[in-house]
Amino acid sequence: MKYSAPKGFQDILPPEISFWQRIEDSARAVFAKYGFHEIRLPIIESTDVFVRSIGEITDIVEKEMYTFRDKGDRSVTLRPEGTAGAVRCFVEHGLHNLPSPQKFYYAGPMFRYERPQKGRFRQFYQIGVEAFGVAQPTLDAEIIAMLNDFLNAIGLTNLNFELNSIGCDACRPVYKEALQLFLKDKITEFCPDCNRRYSTNILRILDCKVEKCVELRGGAPAVSGHLCEHCRIHFDELTALLEALDVPFSLNANLVRGLDYYTKTTFEVTSEHLGAQKAVAAGGRYDKLVKVFGGPDTPAIGFAVGVERLAALLQEASPAEQVAPKVFIATLGKQADTEGLRIAKALRNNGLCTEPGYGASLKSQLRRADRIGAEYALIIGENELSSGTAQWKNLKQGTQGEVALKEVQSFFTKS
Ligand code: ATP
Ligand code: MG
């Protein structure tokens, strides 16, 4: 019987894993400097947590959730994204009682039953951040600047930041009416999904990817032209702050989140090097979601980055390489094996990556040393042991020599 991973699920192996580690390490380092703290959330939540926060009329809830009944006959769902669980956690632990803002990040797998293709998996990883308790655009600006810093830290600079505002309860209904009027006569020509969205979630028509719909909605009124004064000022202040922080961005009137919990700022980061699935990060304000979960009115904003897509961009820039050991210790004979392991342990304690030869023939050990790219080989046999010395070879430069066993540590830590 041969097994393979389920469709849309993948194994991440060395050396590609080094990109994942770079992405996660940089996220931790950059986010910590901005005062964000890690939270670890369950991978499973009650189905209702997602239905209520993401909304029933969305691709995720309608088509993509891994929902099942557990042995206690509860409906549970593998999380398709992180915001819902984070808000559930925020309210459950009364974190709104702590001084504002509360700033969190998380990293981990998400699950969506989508059609697997390039850049789209059924299990994929996100790193997400959520900040609660500040309504001012300073927080929007800071969080977008933090995302920019993080992307720069992992070596990605050629990305497009797109920005929009989708207004609030005061102005969005007016905008929706304008959009409805614009679409009214041609909606039957749109795809079946858009026809449904027309009466249930009309803003979503703006981010439909079907070519015909993109064409048909050309010239649609922009939400930015319908913002109330409050939302207009928020947006203008945000763009001015981003300029002051040297975060490059462009305006995209079609950038929407189709749910009423989402308010004001929305943003997305895309790359021209990823083909159709080009979004590497997306986020926005959700000033009304905490209340939906039974908490007090609490403004909030967050974003999530897609780790697979970032790793693909890094791989394209320069292929992954495995970290090579500094020293490879080839040994011959039981006694030399023991001495080799002792030396390896001490070198590692001194911070050097060291690989032992595991006792095959000297020739095969040295062949492996070469193959894994070790910088030095240290050779210890019976003769060397009795004279208290070892042979060293610099495998990169082709030089060699002898070193006393008791000097091995200082020899390698200096070289
Ligand atoms: P898309 O337009 O690509 O479907 P989305 O709007 O569904 O994205 P979000 O829910 O905003 O995506 O998730 C944030 C990020 O997570 C995306 O920008 C993307 O990088 C990544 N992402 C989302 N779905 C997948 C997936 N199925 N496989 C890999 N990465 C994904
Ligand atoms: Mg999607």
Side-chain angles (χ1 to χ4, degrees), residues 366-385:
L366 289 177
R367 205 182 309 128
R368 191 167 76 89
D370 253 336
R371 202 179 306 141
I372 63 178
E375 190 180 342
Y376 283 93
L378 184 72
I379 302 158
I380 311 173
E382 309 275 304
N383 293 344
E384 281 85 358
L385 269 188

mmCIF file of all heavy atoms in Angstrom, residues 366-385:
data_model
loop_
_atom_site.group_PDB
_atom_site.id
_atom_site.type_symbol
_atom_site.label_atom_id
_atom_site.label_comp_id
_atom_site.label_asym_id
_atom_site.label_seq_id
_atom_site.Cartn_x
_atom_site.Cartn_y
_atom_site.Cartn_z
ATOM 1 N N LEU A 366 34.098 10.806 4.007
ATOM 2 C CA LEU A 366 34.565 12.062 3.408
ATOM 3 C C LEU A 366 33.710 12.456 2.206
ATOM 4 O O LEU A 366 33.508 13.644 1.942
ATOM 5 C CB LEU A 366 36.040 11.943 3.014
ATOM 6 C CG LEU A 366 36.988 11.895 4.220
ATOM 7 C CD1 LEU A 366 38.435 11.709 3.785
ATOM 8 C CD2 LEU A 366 36.859 13.158 5.081
ATOM 9 N N ARG A 367 33.189 11.438 1.513
ATOM 10 C CA ARG A 367 32.299 11.743 0.391
ATOM 11 C C ARG A 367 31.043 12.462 0.911
ATOM 12 O O ARG A 367 30.568 13.436 0.346
ATOM 13 C CB ARG A 367 31.909 10.452 -0.341
ATOM 14 C CG ARG A 367 31.527 10.734 -1.794
ATOM 15 C CD ARG A 367 31.092 9.499 -2.565
ATOM 16 N NE ARG A 367 32.020 8.386 -2.486
ATOM 17 C CZ ARG A 367 31.669 7.135 -2.132
ATOM 18 N NH1 ARG A 367 30.422 6.863 -1.821
ATOM 19 N NH2 ARG A 367 32.561 6.167 -2.081
ATOM 20 N N ARG A 368 30.541 11.972 2.042
ATOM 21 C CA ARG A 368 29.352 12.619 2.606
ATOM 22 C C ARG A 368 29.674 14.039 3.079
ATOM 23 O O ARG A 368 28.888 14.968 2.919
ATOM 24 C CB ARG A 368 28.768 11.785 3.759
ATOM 25 C CG ARG A 368 27.384 12.287 4.192
ATOM 26 C CD ARG A 368 26.654 11.310 5.088
ATOM 27 N NE ARG A 368 27.152 11.280 6.447
ATOM 28 C CZ ARG A 368 26.703 12.077 7.420
ATOM 29 N NH1 ARG A 368 25.754 12.952 7.182
ATOM 30 N NH2 ARG A 368 27.217 11.990 8.624
ATOM 31 N N ALA A 369 30.881 14.201 3.669
ATOM 32 C CA ALA A 369 31.290 15.537 4.132
ATOM 33 C C ALA A 369 31.227 16.535 2.975
ATOM 34 O O ALA A 369 30.727 17.647 3.121
ATOM 35 C CB ALA A 369 32.690 15.480 4.720
ATOM 36 N N ASP A 370 31.721 16.089 1.816
ATOM 37 C CA ASP A 370 31.697 16.929 0.619
ATOM 38 C C ASP A 370 30.270 17.226 0.190
ATOM 39 O O ASP A 370 29.920 18.360 -0.106
ATOM 40 C CB ASP A 370 32.390 16.190 -0.539
ATOM 41 C CG ASP A 370 33.739 16.803 -0.835
ATOM 42 O OD1 ASP A 370 33.915 17.997 -0.503
ATOM 43 O OD2 ASP A 370 34.611 16.086 -1.371
ATOM 44 N N ARG A 371 29.482 16.161 0.166
ATOM 45 C CA ARG A 371 28.126 16.297 -0.358
ATOM 46 C C ARG A 371 27.287 17.260 0.492
ATOM 47 O O ARG A 371 26.477 18.010 -0.036
ATOM 48 C CB ARG A 371 27.458 14.922 -0.439
ATOM 49 C CG ARG A 371 26.323 14.918 -1.442
ATOM 50 C CD ARG A 371 25.635 13.572 -1.580
ATOM 51 N NE ARG A 371 26.535 12.484 -1.867
ATOM 52 C CZ ARG A 371 26.411 11.265 -1.334
ATOM 53 N NH1 ARG A 371 25.444 11.005 -0.479
ATOM 54 N NH2 ARG A 371 27.258 10.308 -1.655
ATOM 55 N N ILE A 372 27.484 17.244 1.795
ATOM 56 C CA ILE A 372 26.669 18.134 2.631
ATOM 57 C C ILE A 372 27.310 19.510 2.791
ATOM 58 O O ILE A 372 26.804 20.367 3.498
ATOM 59 C CB ILE A 372 26.351 17.518 4.021
ATOM 60 C CG1 ILE A 372 27.626 17.287 4.825
ATOM 61 C CG2 ILE A 372 25.547 16.232 3.876
ATOM 62 C CD1 ILE A 372 27.369 16.737 6.222
ATOM 63 N N GLY A 373 28.447 19.702 2.107
ATOM 64 C CA GLY A 373 29.039 21.044 2.040
ATOM 65 C C GLY A 373 29.788 21.470 3.293
ATOM 66 O O GLY A 373 29.928 22.674 3.550
ATOM 67 N N ALA A 374 30.306 20.479 4.078
ATOM 68 C CA ALA A 374 31.053 20.843 5.301
ATOM 69 C C ALA A 374 32.272 21.685 4.922
ATOM 70 O O ALA A 374 32.875 21.481 3.866
ATOM 71 C CB ALA A 374 31.482 19.590 6.034
ATOM 72 N N GLU A 375 32.624 22.625 5.807
ATOM 73 C CA GLU A 375 33.792 23.455 5.512
ATOM 74 C C GLU A 375 35.082 22.688 5.833
ATOM 75 O O GLU A 375 36.020 22.699 5.050
ATOM 76 C CB GLU A 375 33.701 24.747 6.337
ATOM 77 C CG GLU A 375 34.734 25.770 5.929
ATOM 78 C CD GLU A 375 34.624 27.050 6.751
ATOM 79 O OE1 GLU A 375 33.557 27.274 7.377
ATOM 80 O OE2 GLU A 375 35.608 27.813 6.775
ATOM 81 N N TYR A 376 35.076 22.024 6.990
ATOM 82 C CA TYR A 376 36.257 21.268 7.411
ATOM 83 C C TYR A 376 35.905 19.806 7.642
ATOM 84 O O TYR A 376 34.794 19.493 8.079
ATOM 85 C CB TYR A 376 36.776 21.779 8.761
ATOM 86 C CG TYR A 376 37.538 23.073 8.680
ATOM 87 C CD1 TYR A 376 36.879 24.284 8.856
ATOM 88 C CD2 TYR A 376 38.913 23.073 8.455
ATOM 89 C CE1 TYR A 376 37.577 25.477 8.797
ATOM 90 C CE2 TYR A 376 39.620 24.263 8.404
ATOM 91 C CZ TYR A 376 38.953 25.461 8.572
ATOM 92 O OH TYR A 376 39.646 26.638 8.521
ATOM 93 N N ALA A 377 36.903 18.930 7.414
ATOM 94 C CA ALA A 377 36.798 17.556 7.919
ATOM 95 C C ALA A 377 37.893 17.385 8.959
ATOM 96 O O ALA A 377 39.013 17.885 8.789
ATOM 97 C CB ALA A 377 36.971 16.565 6.791
ATOM 98 N N LEU A 378 37.542 16.729 10.044
ATOM 99 C CA LEU A 378 38.537 16.392 11.072
ATOM 100 C C LEU A 378 38.593 14.872 11.082
ATOM 101 O O LEU A 378 37.558 14.207 11.210
ATOM 102 C CB LEU A 378 38.074 16.920 12.431
ATOM 103 C CG LEU A 378 39.064 16.731 13.579
ATOM 104 C CD1 LEU A 378 40.244 17.686 13.418
ATOM 105 C CD2 LEU A 378 38.389 16.990 14.928
ATOM 106 N N ILE A 379 39.802 14.308 10.892
ATOM 107 C CA ILE A 379 39.915 12.853 10.753
ATOM 108 C C ILE A 379 40.638 12.273 11.966
ATOM 109 O O ILE A 379 41.752 12.688 12.299
ATOM 110 C CB ILE A 379 40.671 12.499 9.456
ATOM 111 C CG1 ILE A 379 39.912 13.124 8.271
ATOM 112 C CG2 ILE A 379 40.792 10.994 9.279
ATOM 113 C CD1 ILE A 379 40.754 13.329 7.055
ATOM 114 N N ILE A 380 39.949 11.340 12.625
ATOM 115 C CA ILE A 380 40.539 10.721 13.831
ATOM 116 C C ILE A 380 40.550 9.208 13.649
ATOM 117 O O ILE A 380 39.495 8.592 13.491
ATOM 118 C CB ILE A 380 39.721 11.065 15.095
ATOM 119 C CG1 ILE A 380 39.445 12.574 15.176
ATOM 120 C CG2 ILE A 380 40.446 10.592 16.341
ATOM 121 C CD1 ILE A 380 38.496 12.955 16.297
ATOM 122 N N GLY A 381 41.756 8.616 13.651
ATOM 123 C CA GLY A 381 41.891 7.157 13.595
ATOM 124 C C GLY A 381 42.658 6.677 14.812
ATOM 125 O O GLY A 381 42.977 7.468 15.710
ATOM 126 N N GLU A 382 42.980 5.354 14.828
ATOM 127 C CA GLU A 382 43.705 4.787 15.975
ATOM 128 C C GLU A 382 45.041 5.504 16.177
ATOM 129 O O GLU A 382 45.392 5.879 17.295
ATOM 130 C CB GLU A 382 43.970 3.295 15.738
ATOM 131 C CG GLU A 382 42.731 2.490 15.330
ATOM 132 C CD GLU A 382 41.916 2.028 16.533
ATOM 133 O OE1 GLU A 382 42.497 1.351 17.392
ATOM 134 O OE2 GLU A 382 40.716 2.369 16.612
ATOM 135 N N ASN A 383 45.789 5.697 15.059
ATOM 136 C CA ASN A 383 47.114 6.319 15.175
ATOM 137 C C ASN A 383 47.016 7.711 15.756
ATOM 138 O O ASN A 383 47.789 8.089 16.645
ATOM 139 C CB ASN A 383 47.780 6.427 13.788
ATOM 140 C CG ASN A 383 48.112 5.065 13.250
ATOM 141 O OD1 ASN A 383 48.123 4.078 14.015
ATOM 142 N ND2 ASN A 383 48.361 4.991 11.946
ATOM 143 N N GLU A 384 46.043 8.463 15.251
ATOM 144 C CA GLU A 384 45.876 9.838 15.733
ATOM 145 C C GLU A 384 45.566 9.841 17.225
ATOM 146 O O GLU A 384 46.128 10.640 17.981
ATOM 147 C CB GLU A 384 44.725 10.534 14.981
ATOM 148 C CG GLU A 384 45.079 11.030 13.596
ATOM 149 C CD GLU A 384 44.934 9.945 12.544
ATOM 150 O OE1 GLU A 384 44.588 8.804 12.927
ATOM 151 O OE2 GLU A 384 45.187 10.231 11.368
ATOM 152 N N LEU A 385 44.695 8.900 17.624
ATOM 153 C CA LEU A 385 44.326 8.850 19.041
ATOM 154 C C LEU A 385 45.546 8.638 19.911
ATOM 155 O O LEU A 385 45.738 9.333 20.912
ATOM 156 C CB LEU A 385 43.321 7.712 19.289
ATOM 157 C CG LEU A 385 41.851 8.065 19.187
ATOM 158 C CD1 LEU A 385 41.028 6.867 19.646
ATOM 159 C CD2 LEU A 385 41.520 9.291 20.044
#
